[in-house]
Amino acid sequence: MARRPLIAGNWKMNGLTADGVALATALAARIRENPPAADLLVCPPATLVDRVARAVEGSGLAVGGQDCHGERSGAHTGDIAAAMLKDLGAGYVIVGHSERRTDHGETSAQVRAKAAAAHAAGLVAIVCLGETEAERDGGRTLAVVEAQFGGSLPEGATPENTVIAYEPVWAIGTGRTPTTAEVAEVHRTIRDLAEKALGSAAAARLRILYGGSMKPSNAKELLALTDVDGGLIGGASLKAEDFWAIAESAR
Ligand code: PGA
């Protein structure tokens, strides 16, 4: 089953206008010169979605948000609705990133509401899952991933409106990654869970990304794994050179 890889950059809380526009413009120029074999996406801070979307319009580089609220509108000071991201030119939104689950205490039920809100607004939801180091050491990785998958995926999820990102919490920003066998095992498990939840035809089309210290030097072996359909890249997405090198590693 040919799934077109998705290489997604999560800029996190980094960048002012000049940096963000320059980075996105550099990537858009490379895509125009040499279209990659993968879909490319950048998720800048919400403050830059509008400027970045306008800077890369027509290049094929997609733009996404890093979070959205689970409700469509209302009294939620400081929050951003999925439709607001869509309105600025976003096509995707990350939900349930471990930094949101940890820093903001987000539960899988909230993540599910956010994914549903994203779908209602016409955005693709990138739903993040992953175990902590203690959970891995305790042999609970697959159980944690199963619980998060079951709890975070909303009704109406399809391979067109949903992407899963497996991100072991202990691999994010640490330079450490699981072995390729460990990544393959979790991705296979997620594919099996998707088969049960969505049916086998849909599961075969679902893109499952790996995230956590993916960089040019390890991207090729990770992206070559059967059930790894792209990457969610933090640190290495802040340099056009590195992000591009990862995109070029996608099959
Ligand atoms: P990292 O972050 O690539 O810096 O480890 C990945 C992520 O948090 O999405």
Side-chain angles (χ1 to χ4, degrees), residues 10 12 97 99 167 171-174 211-214 232-236:
N10 173 10
K12 309 193 179 184
H97 189 281
E99 287 152 15
E167 299 204 303
I172 294 175
T174 59
S213 297
M214 187 182 274
L232 181 54
I233 298 118

Side-chain angles (χ1 to χ4, degrees), residues 68-76 79-84 110 113-114 116-118:
C68 67
H69 199 275
E71 288 180 27
R72 291 184 189 205
S73 63
H76 302 289
D79 279 312
I80 296 173
M84 295 171 182
Q110 283 171 306
K114 287 168 185 250

Side-chain angles (χ1 to χ4, degrees), residues 1-5 159-160 188 191 195 199-208 223-229 251:
M1 167 57 62
R3 291 177 293 268
R4 188 170 162 85
E160 285 70 44
R188 179 68 240 166
R191 184 89 54 209
E195 268 180 32
S200 54
R205 296 203 309 278
L206 181 72
R207 293 192 284 191
I208 307 171
L223 294 169
L225 298 171
T226 310
D227 287 301
V228 175
D229 309 310
R251 61 186 179 264

